[in-house]
Amino acid sequence: MTNIATEINSSIGAGEVATPSDTPPITITFADFGLDPQIQKAVSEQGYTTPTPIQAQSIPHVLAGSDLMGAAQTGTGKTAAFVLPIIQKILRHASNSASPARHPIRALVLTPTRELAVQVAENAGSYSKYTDLRTAVVYGGVDMKEQVALLRNGVEILIATPGRLLDHIGSKVANLSQVELLVLDEADRMLDMGFLPDLQRIINLIPAQRQTLLFSATFSPEIKKLAQSYLRTPVTVEVARQNAAADTVKQVVHMVASADKQRAIVKVLEARTRQGLSRQCIIFTNSRLGCAKLSRALERDGIKAGAIHGDKSQGERTLTLEAFKSGAIEALVATDVAARGLDIPDMPCVINHELPYNAEDFIHRIGRTGRAGSTGDAIALVDASEKRLLDDIEKLMKRKLDVKTLPEGSSSSSRASASSNSAAPAKMSDPFFYMPYESGAAPKSADITKPEEKKVGIVPAKPAVGALLGGLKKK
Ligand code: AMP
């Protein structure tokens, strides 16, 4: 069910809420939510000054006890939109008692991937650091022992991937009978990854008298069905047009024969260097094998590349991600699943080495750039065989993508003549025509906030190791 008041008018910015008449929008600050000073202090410490639109729209509803469906792209601040009110709501249970019985699981956040789980746990740990609430994260692929010890010790906020949580439930280490709040984060991805049976099993173990929040980048029919089954008259909060990409992302398609794609990436990065733009980029591939091969090939071409895909161990993934965040790696070659949930703020550029088979994945991919008010470039390298995939993406986004052609005489195919909005070919000596991507100011966007302290570039590595080990996040 849609609550009209919660649907953001596209002219409304961060911290502003639509009013029914022509009166100017009301500006909301974190203080307006009435959050406990312990939470406010932690929020201020993060440097957040104004709530993002998803936060401004969701937090009051969650505090009021409503179920909620949030359509929010990555990078909109959706984690704090559910974590902050959750902390507020369960704060009354906070206890400094050492007894595990005083620390049952009160809030459960389910995520599709370990990377997202870790990030949510990091945030939850930071936002609750001045309270006595305990936060922990459990996911598969690592030893159970440490997680078992944490769960036995007691934890109020648990972030988990579904499979591993079921393992802990099976061995009677995790008990969900006192869960009051359930969050399904990136629910669309959980369904894509086949987690529906696991989700059903888990949700059936949670008391019916609970509050359920579902976040998803897109509201597919399957997601709506899931919501119908498990949410009660939810408020719908949409801070981005459904199935739309952020306005801050400048998208471009280059028609390139498959065999020329790797070379095109090198040219793109060289052109970015010439323009004084960052070379840091995420390059998406469809297969693990393709991911590993491309990463190695780019390295041979002198590009500092690293691969992140499902065949890599958790330790390898962490090291690669840290190297990417520190700048030691400039091109992170990734598959969709492995890249899901990676928090790399202000990513300047995303390159699609191939188009994804599922058009919605394209939106997830390009959601890695143009986040939190910065501008970003999303470049898709498309060969003739991918034309149908491109059509699907354009249909989903309800717009034609800007196709920039390769120079005449190139061996690669071109779609320019078929495109009314393609740029005029420019004379360049490079075999791969490359138009400069503007680095101008971000367009006004309703779904993006512009944090003052954020800079374009790479953020330093976060102290994620404790969380990666499933560690408790406390002061
Ligand atoms: P998320 O969409 O939850 O992954 O958040 C994206 C990024 O925005 C994270 O790095 C957050 O730390 C940051 N963020 C969340 N809320 C705010 C806010 N109100 N102001 C500035 N940055 C924020």
Side-chain angles (χ1 to χ4, degrees):
M1 204 180 292
T2 303
N3 179 328
I4 301 299
T6 62
E7 292 202 328
I8 289 196
N9 174 315
S10 63
S11 66
I12 292 172
E16 295 176 352
V17 170
T19 49
S21 65
D22 288 341
T23 49
I26 305 159
T27 300
I28 282 186
T29 66
F30 278 103
D32 295 323
F33 296 134
L35 298 172
D36 189 278
Q38 295 166 331
I39 306 173
Q40 298 234 34
K41 186 175 170 195
V43 168
S44 311
E45 236 173 53
Q46 293 292 313
Y48 303 167
T49 48
T50 322
T52 67
I54 187 75
Q55 292 161 1
Q57 297 297 304
S58 303
I59 292 174
H61 289 295
V62 181
L63 289 174
S66 300
D67 279 7
L68 183 134
M69 266 179 94
Q73 295 177 62
T74 328
T76 54
K78 71 178 162 64
T79 313
F82 63 80
V83 171
L84 294 177
I86 284 178
I87 296 172
Q88 176 70 33
K89 295 205 77 168
I90 62 172
L91 199 53
R92 66 184 195 283
H93 300 300
S95 159
N96 59 11
S97 160
S99 162
R102 299 293 301 275
H103 301 278
I105 303 167
R106 306 277 184 188
L108 174 66
V109 181
L110 294 174
T111 73
T113 64
R114 27 189 142 172
E115 282 83 3
L116 182 61
V118 167
Q119 275 162 213
V120 172
E122 279 177 0
N123 286 350
S126 306
Y127 304 150
S128 64
K129 68 192 269 199
Y130 294 113
T131 75
D132 282 320
L133 295 172
R134 298 176 179 179
T135 302
V137 56
V138 298
Y139 49 78
V142 292
D143 195 57
M144 304 262 290
K145 245 198 265 156
E146 204 172 332
Q147 297 177 359
V148 168
L150 285 169
L151 291 171
R152 289 229 160 99
N153 218 19
V155 49
E156 280 88 5
I157 304 174
L158 180 65
I159 297 98
T161 51
R164 178 52 65 98
L165 177 61
L166 281 169
D167 293 342
H168 287 300
I169 291 170
S171 50
K172 305 221 176 320
V173 172
N175 180 323
L176 305 183
S177 64
Q178 296 196 58
V179 170
E180 298 171 11
L181 288 125
L182 168 68
V183 181
L184 305 175
D185 195 10
E186 299 200 347
D188 48 348
R189 175 56 50 150
M190 286 202 275
L191 295 191
D192 285 352
M193 290 170 70
F195 281 135
L196 184 60
D198 286 356
L199 289 183
Q200 287 166 329
R201 285 179 60 199
I202 292 169
I203 298 174
N204 287 338
L205 295 170
I206 301 176
Q209 275 308 322
R210 62 164 190 269
Q211 194 176 348
T212 311
L213 317 175
L214 179 154
F215 288 85
S216 179
T218 49
F219 283 169
S220 63
E222 292 76 20
I223 287 292
K224 288 182 181 154
K225 212 167 137 198
L226 182 75
Q228 260 165 15
S229 309
Y230 296 112
L231 275 68
R232 279 191 228 171
T233 55
V235 168
T236 302
V237 178
E238 271 180 65
V239 295
R241 199 157 39 88
Q242 225 171 299
N243 299 337
D247 295 343
T248 45
V249 180
K250 180 169 160 49
Q251 296 193 58
V252 139
V253 170
H254 291 303
M255 296 304 297
V256 189
S258 184
D260 296 333
K261 283 186 176 183
Q262 177 198 327
R263 181 130 188 272
I265 292 172
V266 176
K267 292 290 160 194
V268 162
L269 295 184
E270 283 173 358
R272 291 185 73 82
T273 309
R274 281 198 300 278
Q275 292 157 38
L277 298 173
S278 167
R279 283 163 69 96
Q280 205 87 15
C281 61
I282 300 186
I283 304 172
F284 281 100
T285 57
N286 289 348
S287 70
R288 296 171 185 196
L289 198 63
C291 178
K293 264 173 71 180
L294 179 63
S295 169
R296 284 195 300 268
L298 289 174
E299 289 235 40
R300 283 197 296 273
D301 278 335
I303 291 168
K304 291 180 271 175
I308 191 157
H309 56 73
D311 287 341
K312 296 270 182 186
S313 71
Q314 184 59 32
E316 287 170 322
R317 288 190 206 189
T318 306
L319 282 177
T320 305
L321 188 58
E322 295 298 331
F324 186 54
K325 287 184 173 181
S326 74
I329 285 176
E330 52 194 3
L332 182 69
V333 189
T335 56
D336 289 291
V337 170
R340 190 74 182 169
L342 295 185
D343 180 24
I344 302 162
D346 303 333
M347 197 62 238
C349 180
V350 168
I351 299 176
N352 278 283
H353 180 257
E354 291 89 40
L355 293 180
Y357 301 121
N358 177 350
E360 286 180 1
D361 281 340
F362 186 80
I363 294 178
H364 290 304
R365 288 180 178 187
I366 66 176
R368 303 278 144 212
T369 187
R371 302 167 73 176
S374 67
T375 49
D377 293 311
I379 299 160
L381 304 176
V382 179
D383 71 30
S385 72
E386 296 171 292
K387 168 99 176 58
R388 192 186 54 77
L389 299 175
L390 183 59
D391 290 345
D392 287 349
I393 288 165
E394 290 180 334
K395 215 152 81 195
L396 182 69
M397 295 205 293
K398 298 191 176 64
R399 57 177 279 210
K400 284 263 169 214
L401 292 183
D402 194 9
V403 178
K404 293 187 172 167
T405 60
L406 295 172
E408 265 177 50
S410 159
S411 57
S412 301
S413 56
S414 167
R415 204 183 72 135
S417 54
S419 169
S420 55
N421 58 356
S422 56
K427 283 202 184 331
M428 279 181 75
S429 52
D430 276 346
F432 290 93
F433 165 61
Y434 184 81
M435 278 284 283
Y437 297 97
E438 291 87 11
S439 52
K444 229 179 157 21
S445 165
D447 52 330
I448 300 288
T449 184
K450 187 156 192 170
E452 294 308 318
E453 66 285 357
K454 284 199 178 294
K455 296 182 199 75
V456 172
I458 296 306
V459 289
K462 286 185 188 164
V465 181
L468 286 169
L469 295 172
L472 263 185
K473 299 279 295 171
K474 291 307 299 174
K475 342 180 182 184

